[in-house]
């Protein structure tokens, strides 16, 4: 198995060759290097439009872009702190094999589950992020 490339174009091709479901995470999150406006350049299987760890404005932009491009949407908690596990998630009622999961996403036979995040949740997340970046 070869090492995945870091270049977005090469990584996309690599993922496709490996039979992966290709979904950009937090595409408009400027703090965590989302793919941004490159969303329109590729044929993604879906776009993560709700990410519990991303700023809400980044989620709103991702949702609008996915709607405009008619790309299926998913949600995830992107949990870096235990409390965030499962706060945002995509419920898929299918067997856990690639084709059925992808088919459910494409046909929007999924449910996006979004929980409210409190100010305390956001502060805890910010604290974790700062400690990580400062290596505390």
């Amino acid at each position: 198995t070869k090492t995945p490339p870091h270049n977005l174009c090469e990584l996309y091709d690599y993922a496709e060759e490996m039979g992966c479901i290709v979904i950009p995470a937090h595409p408009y999150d400027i703090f965590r290097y989302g793919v941004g406006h490159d969303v329109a350049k590729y044929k993604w299987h879906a776009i993560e439009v709700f990410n519990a760890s991303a700023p809400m404005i980044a989620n709103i932009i991702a949702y609008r872009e996915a709607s405009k491009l008619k790309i299926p949407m998913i949600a995830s908690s992107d949990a870096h702190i235990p409390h965030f596990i499962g706060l945002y998630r995509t419920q898929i009622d299918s067997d856990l094999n690639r084709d059925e999961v992808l088919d459910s996403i494409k046909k929007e036979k999924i449910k996006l589950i979004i929980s409210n995040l409190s100010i305390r949740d956001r502060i805890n997340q910010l604290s974790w992020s700062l400690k990580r970046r400062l290596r505390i």
Side-chain angles (χ1 to χ4, degrees):
T1 310
K2 61 183 181 179
T3 304
H6 291 284
N7 172 281
L8 180 58
C9 183
E10 293 171 11
L11 180 60
Y12 179 89
D13 291 341
Y14 174 83
E16 283 283 304
E17 288 170 17
M18 299 300 290
C20 297
I21 295 174
V22 186
I23 302 171
H26 46 74
Y28 292 95
D29 186 343
I30 62 170
F31 301 110
R32 294 185 300 133
Y33 313 108
V35 298
H37 296 291
D38 282 339
V39 161
K41 293 181 182 178
Y42 298 92
K43 186 172 173 38
W44 307 103
H45 292 110
I47 294 177
E48 181 189 61
V49 297
F50 292 111
N51 178 303
S53 295
M56 188 50 69
I57 189 67
N59 289 333
I60 291 167
I61 294 168
Y63 181 87
R64 287 182 181 162
E65 195 65 18
S67 296
K68 184 174 84 176
L69 296 169
K70 295 181 173 43
I71 299 173
M73 304 175 203
I74 66 159
S76 77
S77 60
D78 197 5
H80 294 275
I81 57 175
H83 180 71
F84 271 49
I85 296 171
L87 287 179
Y88 285 26
R89 61 191 182 277
T90 303
Q91 181 177 318
I92 302 173
D93 294 322
S94 72
D95 289 336
L96 291 179
N97 71 59
R98 180 194 184 277
D99 293 333
E100 287 193 34
V101 167
L102 186 54
D103 190 56
S104 293
I105 292 170
K106 283 181 178 178
K107 292 180 179 174
E108 298 179 4
K109 293 181 178 179
I110 59 174
K111 181 178 179 183
L112 304 183
I113 299 169
I114 313 299
S115 301
N116 289 326
L117 296 173
S118 69
I119 299 288
R120 174 181 231 141
D121 292 334
R122 291 291 182 191
I123 290 170
N124 287 339
Q125 175 196 26
L126 180 60
S127 172
W128 177 88
S129 183
L130 288 172
K131 288 177 183 175
R132 180 174 169 248
R133 288 183 192 271
L134 297 172
R135 296 187 170 129
I136 296 175

